[in-house]
Amino acid sequence: MENTLSRRQMLGVLAAAPLLMSARNVLAQSVSPEALLAGAKTEGKVVVYSIFPTTVESAMMQSYQDATGITMEYSRIGGTNPTLQKFYSQVKVGQHLTDVIVLEKSANMIAANDGLFASVKPGNLPNVVEAFRSADGLAQTVIASFHVVVYNKNLVTEDQLPKEWSDLAKPEYAGKVVVGSPENSGSATVMIKTLLDRHGWDFFKTLAANGLIETTREVEAADLVARGERLFAVIAQTAPAAQLAAGAPIGIHFPARPIVTEFAASVPLEAPHPQAARHFLDYMLSEDYQKRVVSDLAGYSVLTSVAPPPGMPVLSDLAIEPFDYAALLAERDGILENWREIMGA
């Protein structure tokens, strides 16, 4: 599995970082939508780091450039943790290259707590589902997803699907389950923390003893299910977007007590194009972009006005349980260490 920076190492990076000042005033100013667009066009470019599959998301990014004439420079470095590491490594040497960074929300909060992000409140915030509104503007949820059981519809019948998450530890699922690595996937870390709080480490020890395997990226777990090499993948609902678009025989199942994962966008304090950054964040909360979250990424929109993906339950029916991000940040290193010990690598 890929190396990952611990919380202590990230703080060490910050000790060597220069003070961040220049873009703060621009990001804090109140400005009309017309003036913001004019300023963004003057800057001429927006640089975005994101974690979603390039084959799907690049077209969504291109649509912003087509609509505004502002050059979109889009980069997918990897999953949440490698992308965060890249951002910190750049800050360490005084390189401020990105305007907007999209990560699993707990990773945004690491950098936010370290004072690296600006407080930016999008203009469309009142139309965002209340549970997904950022109170401080440091990490605004732009895509909602759930950890689900992805299964091969050609090989699995509905009566074989787990009703509860704990069912996955039963003997009938032995040798059939795959997950994404938490070292790479922030959403996998959220899933592990949630099920750890509900069922303890013995649950995961049983899964490992029953032949649980992991992939570096959650999209690779979806590939295994699509090919029938594993029957069930416990991954973010957005992970198999490319496979679904290609017509793979994949089904998505929600066990009881869904596990929500939020993907958030943040603007670094030293964003090189701060007005374009603010404008793009506004765009991410527009109806046009949010409808593509549903159609292209198979995720849930965070707007009250946009319907869920076809065949999936509406948010109000899912009884979303609040997630304790502060606890995850405090326990993250220990969770990853225990996970690696259980998985034996």
Side-chain angles (χ1 to χ4, degrees):
M1 297 301 162
E2 297 186 30
N3 293 329
T4 182
L5 287 175
S6 69
R7 175 79 174 136
R8 292 180 293 276
Q9 289 171 314
M10 287 181 177
L11 290 172
V13 166
L14 289 177
L19 292 176
L20 306 176
M21 292 298 294
S22 65
R24 293 187 181 188
N25 290 338
V26 173
L27 291 168
Q29 291 172 358
S30 177
V31 61
S32 69
E34 296 78 13
L36 183 59
L37 176 58
K41 287 186 173 182
T42 298
E43 291 174 345
K45 181 167 74 171
V46 61
V47 180
V48 179
Y49 290 175
S50 186
I51 61 172
F52 291 96
T54 305
T55 53
V56 176
E57 195 176 31
S58 58
M60 298 171 67
M61 298 296 184
Q62 182 64 38
S63 66
Y64 174 77
Q65 179 172 312
D66 294 342
T68 64
I70 299 168
T71 300
M72 163 59 66
E73 197 170 292
Y74 161 68
S75 177
R76 186 190 189 278
I77 295 162
T80 283
N81 293 328
T83 304
L84 186 64
Q85 292 169 29
K86 181 70 172 180
F87 175 67
Y88 269 82
S89 70
Q90 291 170 345
V91 170
K92 178 179 180 180
V93 297
Q95 293 182 340
H96 306 293
L97 305 178
T98 184
D99 296 304
V100 178
I101 185 167
V102 182
L103 304 166
E104 184 278 314
K105 188 177 179 180
S106 66
N108 299 70
M109 293 180 68
I110 291 173
N113 289 347
D114 289 336
L116 295 181
F117 290 154
S119 177
V120 180
K121 296 189 177 180
N124 201 26
L125 199 61
N127 294 323
V128 172
V129 174
E130 186 173 1
F132 298 135
R133 294 176 197 166
S134 173
D136 56 19
L138 298 173
Q140 174 55 51
T141 301
V142 293
I143 300 170
S145 181
F146 290 85
H147 248 74
V148 295
V149 174
V150 172
Y151 64 99
N152 188 302
K153 293 194 293 186
N154 291 343
L155 302 173
V156 175
T157 58
E158 289 192 6
D159 63 315
Q160 294 174 303
L161 296 172
K163 294 180 175 59
E164 309 280 346
W165 292 103
S166 57
D167 290 343
L168 292 168
K170 293 180 178 179
E172 54 263 40
Y173 293 96
K176 300 175 182 178
V177 182
V178 58
V179 298
S181 165
E183 283 91 350
N184 187 64
S185 168
S187 61
T189 312
V190 170
M191 177 272 293
I192 291 169
K193 166 64 175 166
T194 301
L195 294 182
L196 172 63
D197 289 346
R198 295 178 187 176
H199 306 297
W201 281 114
D202 284 347
F203 170 71
F204 292 107
K205 290 176 181 177
T206 301
L207 289 179
N210 284 349
L212 177 72
I213 64 171
E214 60 183 333
T215 55
T216 301
R217 299 182 301 149
E218 289 194 327
V219 67
E220 294 165 352
D223 282 335
L224 292 182
V225 171
R227 295 196 299 265
E229 297 176 34
R230 285 276 154 155
L231 299 187
F232 307 96
V234 179
I235 54 179
Q237 142 218 341
T238 52
Q243 291 87 348
L244 286 168
I250 282 178
I252 293 177
H253 171 65
F254 288 73
R257 299 184 68 188
I259 301 170
V260 66
T261 298
E262 299 176 47
F263 297 99
S266 297
V267 177
L269 276 172
E270 277 292 296
H273 311 98
Q275 294 180 91
R278 288 181 62 179
H279 189 267
F280 183 72
L281 182 56
D282 279 356
Y283 174 74
M284 294 188 85
L285 290 180
S286 69
E287 275 215 2
D288 286 347
Y289 183 89
Q290 288 292 310
K291 286 178 179 178
R292 295 194 70 163
V293 165
V294 175
S295 63
D296 296 12
L297 289 175
Y300 276 82
S301 167
V302 298
L303 296 184
T304 57
S305 58
V306 177
M312 295 191 190
V314 297
L315 284 173
S316 58
D317 290 343
L318 286 173
I320 299 172
E321 299 181 24
F323 181 76
D324 190 344
Y325 283 102
L328 175 60
L329 296 185
E331 300 169 23
R332 179 178 178 274
D333 288 353
I335 288 172
L336 294 179
E337 289 171 8
N338 285 343
W339 176 263
R340 191 50 47 218
E341 181 179 345
I342 288 171
M343 294 303 292

